[in-house]
C-alpha cells in the first residue's frame, strides 16, 4: 500500500476532516499535511511551527503559518476556533503533555493526535536485546532524539481516561502503514486518535 | 548581498489640489508628494507594492542618485532584481509622507495663506491621513489595487491601516516590527523626545525658520534617546561594551565611553538635516495610532473589516515593539478568520533589525512575495 507523501497517518487524518473544516496543525513542519488537506479536502488550515527553516518552507508552501513554541501555549488562538487540532508525531516531544492536550481541546472541537507506540513488538525486542529502539516511527538514536516522553497506546488511553477525554476513534498502523486490528498495543507502530471533551 | 541594486533612480513630484481633510480637524488645502518608483507597472496594473516609511524615512527607498552615488536608499538591501522586493516582478512605490521634511509638503514648506513656512501652523497628521494621501497617489499612478502594502515600525502601521481603510485596494499587507497601538512606555519615550525639542530655546514655538535657527540641541537629544530604543541591550554590549575612547577614566563629562561617542555622532548627524517639527508630527502620529479605537478597542472587530492576506513579522530583540505586540495583531487576524502568517525572527539588532540584511528574514519576505500571483 502506498501512502500520501510517505506518511500513512496523513491518510487517516485526511479521512477524518471534512471540506470547509478549520484545521490547526501543531508542529506542522514545512506544511506538507496542511497543503495536502487544503488541496484534497478543501479545508481552511493554519500551522504552528517553531523551527525557522520549517517556517520558511511553510511560507513557500503558501500555508498560514504561525511561528511559536507549543510549550508556551496557544494563546494567539481563540477558544473553539478550529474543528480539528492536529498534533502529528509530536506529542512525544512535548514536555507538558496534559497542558498541550487541554490547550488543543480549548482551541478546537476535536484533537487529532498521532504518536509512535513504544510497546510495538520490535521496540520491545530491541530493548530486550539491550538497545533503545530505532525504527520507522522512532527514527532517532537515544542521544539525538527530540523525544522526551516514551509511552504506549495503553499509557495514552489511561491518561485520556484520567483527564476525562473521550476517544472518538483510533487508528493503529504497523511500520508499513497498514492498519492493525488485533493486539494493537503489541503490533502497532504508530497510533492516531480522535479526542474530544466529554459532552 | 544577494540580488542587485536598482541602480540610479530619480525622485518625482506630484501636486494635489484637492484639500486633504485630516483626522485632527485640520486641512491641507493643497500639497505635494515626492516619490520614487522602481520596476515597471504591468499592463494589468496588478504588480504594484507600496512601501511606507517609518519615523525618519522618506521616498528614497532604494538605489542611488546619479550625481550622488553614496546617497543610497534607506531600505536598498531588500529592493532590486533578485531581491525580496524583486523589481523584475513588482513595481515598487515609495513616497515621503505629508508632514515630512524630504520634499513633500511639511512644516518647512511655504504656507500659501501666509507666504511663510508653515511651522507651528502645520496641522497634526495621523497615520490614516497618510493612507488617504497615499491612496490619491495610487489613483494618480493608475493603481487601483496594491499587490502589497508593506512597512516596518510606523511603516508597518500604515500597511495595517491601509488594510482597514481601503480593504478592497490591498491584496497583501506586510506588517513588520509594528504594534496595534503604542504602550504607555512607548508614548513616554516619545514625550521625552518631544520635550527635548519643545524646550529648546531655538524652537521658538515651532516657528524657528523665521528666526533663521533650528532647535538642533533638542532634536539631537530626541534622536539620541530614540536611538537607544531602536537597539538591543545585547547589541550595544557587543558593539561598545564599556570601551573607552582613551585608556583611563577622565573623571569629567566629555565623551569618554564609546557608546557616548556613537550616540552623540548619531544625534549630530540626524539633527544636522532632519526637521524638528516633522519629528514632533511623526511621534504624535505614532501616539495617536490605535485603529481598534473605532471599534471600542476590539481589534478583532477592526481586523474583521479587512480583506487582505497578512504577513506579520517581529524580531526577538525588539523591545520597542516586542514580538508580543505583533502577536496581538496576529491573534486578532486569526480570530477574524483572515489568512495570516507570522514569523518571529531571531536577529540581534533590536527594533532596527527590520532594516538589516539577513538571509532568513529576507527569505521569509521573499518567499511570501514570491507566492503573490499577478
Amino acid at each position: 500500500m502506498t501512502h500520501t507523501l510517505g506518511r500513512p497517518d496523513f491518510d487517516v487524518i485526511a479521512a477524518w476532516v471534512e471540506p470547509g473544516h478549520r484545521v490547526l496543525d501543531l508542529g506542522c513542519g514545512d506544511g506538507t499535511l496542511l497543503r495536502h488537506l487544503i488541496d484534497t479536502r478543501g479545508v481552511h488550515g493554519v500551522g504552528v511551527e517553531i523551527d525557522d527553516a520549517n517556517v520558511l518552507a511553510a511560507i513557500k508552501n503558501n500555508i498560514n503559518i504561525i511561528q511559536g513554541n507549543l510549550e508556551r501555549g496557544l494563546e494567539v488562538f481563540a477558544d473553539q476556533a478550529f474543528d480539528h487540532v492536529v498534533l502529528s508525531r509530536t506529542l512525544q516531544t512535548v514536555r507538558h503533555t496534559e497542558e498541550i492536550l487541554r490547550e488543543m481541546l480549548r482551541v478546537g472541537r476535536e484533537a487529532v493526535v498521532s504518536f509512535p507506540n513504544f510497546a510495538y513488538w520490535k521496540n520491545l525486542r530491541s530493548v530486550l536485546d539491550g538497545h533503545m529502539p530505532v525504527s520507522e516511527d522512532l527514527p532517532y538514536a537515544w542521544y539525538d532524539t527530540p523525544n522526551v516522553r516514551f509511552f504506549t497506546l495503553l499509557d495514552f488511553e489511561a491518561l485520556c481516561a484520567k483527564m476525562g477525554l473521550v476517544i472518538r476513534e483510533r487508528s493503529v498502523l504497523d511500520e508499513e502503514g497498514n492498519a492493525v486490528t488485533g493486539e494493537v498495543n503489541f503490533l502497532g507502530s504508530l497510533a492516531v486518535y480522535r479526542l474530544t471533551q466529554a459532552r | 548581498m544577494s540580488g542587485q541594486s536598482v541602480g540610479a533612480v530619480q525622485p518625482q513630484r506630484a501636486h494635489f489640489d484637492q484639500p486633504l481633510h485630516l483626522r485632527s480637524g485640520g486641512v491641507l488645502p493643497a500639497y505635494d508628494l515626492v516619490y520614487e518608483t522602481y520596476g515597471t507597472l504591468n499592463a494589468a496594473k496588478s504588480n504594484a507594492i507600496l512601501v511606507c516609511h517609518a519615523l525618519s524615512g522618506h521616498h528614497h527607498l532604494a538605489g542611488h542618485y546619479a550625481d550622488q552615488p553614496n546617497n543610497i536608499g534607506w531600505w536598498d538591501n531588500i529592493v532590486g532584481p533578485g531581491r525580496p522586493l524583486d523589481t523584475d516582478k513588482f513595481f515598487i512605490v515609495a513616497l515621503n509622507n505629508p508632514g515630512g521634511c524630504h520634499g513633500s509638503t511639511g512644516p518647512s514648506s511655504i504656507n500659501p495663506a501666509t507666504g511663510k513656512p508653515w511651522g507651528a501652523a502645520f496641522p497634526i497628521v495621523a497615520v490614516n491621513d497618510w493612507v488617504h494621501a497615499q491612496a490619491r497617489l495610487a489613483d494618480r499612478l493608475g493603481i487601483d489595487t496594491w499587490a502589497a502594502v508593506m512597512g516596518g515600525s510606523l511603516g508597518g502601521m500604515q500597511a495595517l491601516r491601509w488594510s482597514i481603510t481601503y480593504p478592497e485596494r490591498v491584496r497583501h499587507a506586510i506588517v513588520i516590527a509594528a504594534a496595534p497601538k503604542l504602550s504607555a512606555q512607548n508614548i513616554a519615550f516619545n514625550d521625552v523626545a518631544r520635550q527635548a525639542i519643545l524646550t529648546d530655546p531655538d524652537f521658538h514655538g515651532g516657528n524657528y525658520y523665521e528666526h533663521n535657527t533650528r532647535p538642533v540641541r533638542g532634536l539631537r537629544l530626541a534622536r539620541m534617546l530614540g536611538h537607544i530604543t531602536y537597539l538591543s541591550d545585547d547589541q550595544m554590549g557587543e558593539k561598545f561594551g564599556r570601551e573607552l575612547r582613551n585608556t583611563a577614566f577622565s573623571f569629567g563629562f566629555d565623551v569618554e565611553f564609546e557608546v557616548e561617542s556613537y550616540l552623540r555622532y548619531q544625534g549630530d548627524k540626524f539633527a544636522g538635516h532632519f526637521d524638528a517639527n516633522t519629528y514632533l508630527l511623526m511621534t504624535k502620529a505614532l501616539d495617536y495610532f490605535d485603529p481598534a479605537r473605532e471599534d471600542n478597542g476590539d481589534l478583532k472587530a477592526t481586523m474583521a473589516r479587512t480583506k487582505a492576506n497578512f504577513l506579520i513579522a517581529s524580531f526577538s530583540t525588539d523591545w520597542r515593539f516586542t514580538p508580543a505586540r505583533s502577536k496581538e495583531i496576529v491573534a486578532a487576524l486569526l480570530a477574524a478568520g483572515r489568512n495570516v502568517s507570522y514569523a518571529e525572527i531571531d536577529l540581534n539588532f533590536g527594533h532596527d533589525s527590520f532594516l538589516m540584511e539577513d538571509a532568513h528574514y529576507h527569505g521569509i519576505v521573499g518567499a511570501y512575495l514570491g507566492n503573490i500571483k499577478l
Side-chain angles (χ1 to χ4, degrees), chain A residues 122-167:
Chain A
K122 284 189 186 172
N123 296 340
L124 298 181
R125 193 181 70 183
S126 183
V127 173
L128 284 175
D129 286 346
H131 291 284
M132 288 299 283
V134 176
S135 71
E136 183 73 22
D137 294 311
L138 281 171
Y140 300 96
W142 66 272
Y143 50 83
D144 69 359
T145 181
N147 300 334
V148 296
R149 302 282 185 232
F150 298 91
F151 51 100
T152 71
L153 274 65
L154 292 179
D155 292 331
F156 181 73
E157 290 175 17
L159 177 66
C160 291
K162 174 181 166 262
M163 292 178 66
L165 307 181
V166 178
I167 295 168

Side-chain angles (χ1 to χ4, degrees), chain B residues 154-317:
Chain B
L154 179 55
M157 293 169 175
Q158 290 161 64
L160 191 62
R161 188 68 244 192
W162 256 99
S163 72
I164 301 160
T165 303
Y166 294 107
E168 310 285 351
R169 301 189 72 173
V170 185
R171 291 172 57 209
H172 298 268
I174 303 180
V175 179
I176 303 172
K181 63 186 175 202
L182 264 60
S183 68
Q185 188 193 50
N186 295 148
I187 294 170
F189 275 119
N190 281 346
D191 192 48
V192 175
R194 282 192 295 268
Q195 285 296 314
I197 293 167
L198 294 168
T199 57
D200 186 321
D202 289 332
F203 184 63
H204 295 287
N207 296 317
Y208 44 85
Y209 316 101
E210 299 164 28
H211 294 80
N212 288 316
T213 185
R214 301 169 62 245
V216 171
R217 286 167 291 179
L219 186 57
R220 174 174 176 271
L221 276 180
R223 182 59 170 181
M224 287 172 74
L225 176 73
H227 213 84
I228 297 169
T229 71
Y230 304 148
L231 306 179
S232 72
D233 190 20
D234 280 355
Q235 179 201 6
M236 286 181 106
E238 275 172 28
K239 198 166 177 176
F240 308 110
R242 292 177 51 82
E243 290 297 314
L244 299 171
R245 299 193 76 199
N246 300 310
T247 48
F249 289 162
S250 62
F251 297 102
F253 299 113
D254 283 340
V255 171
E256 190 165 16
F257 290 93
E258 285 293 353
V259 67
E260 296 173 318
S261 166
Y262 173 80
L263 276 182
R264 291 181 196 194
Y265 170 75
Q266 291 295 334
D268 287 338
K269 194 172 78 163
F270 186 76
H273 75 269
F274 206 81
D275 184 63
N277 279 319
T278 289
Y279 201 88
L280 295 175
L281 288 175
M282 296 285 159
T283 60
K284 285 306 275 188
L286 275 163
D287 291 2
Y288 289 130
F289 181 72
D290 181 9
R293 196 177 163 86
E294 293 156 19
D295 299 285
N296 300 313
D298 182 357
L299 189 60
K300 174 190 167 187
T302 309
M303 292 298 105
R305 294 193 270 134
T306 67
K307 295 200 165 136
N309 298 328
F310 291 82
L311 173 65
I312 313 289
S314 71
F315 297 94
S316 51
T317 56

Side-chain angles (χ1 to χ4, degrees), chain A residues 56-118:
Chain A
L56 178 58
I59 286 179
K60 283 185 179 158
N61 251 332
N62 220 350
I63 297 295
N64 288 321
I65 179 88
I66 308 298
Q67 189 162 22
N69 185 345
L70 302 180
E71 298 274 17
R72 303 225 180 99
L74 306 175
E75 78 279 350
V76 294
F77 301 104
D79 293 356
Q80 298 297 300
F82 296 93
D83 297 294
H84 301 272
V85 182
V86 177
L87 190 65
S88 169
R89 303 190 196 221
T90 302
L91 188 65
Q92 74 279 3
T93 70
V94 173
R95 194 164 290 279
H96 302 100
T97 313
E98 290 180 71
E99 192 179 310
I100 191 73
L101 290 172
R102 266 192 219 99
E103 273 287 274
M104 289 173 77
L105 287 167
R106 175 184 68 78
V107 303
R109 183 167 55 82
E110 186 172 298
V112 177
V113 180
S114 74
F115 58 85
N117 174 28
F118 196 71

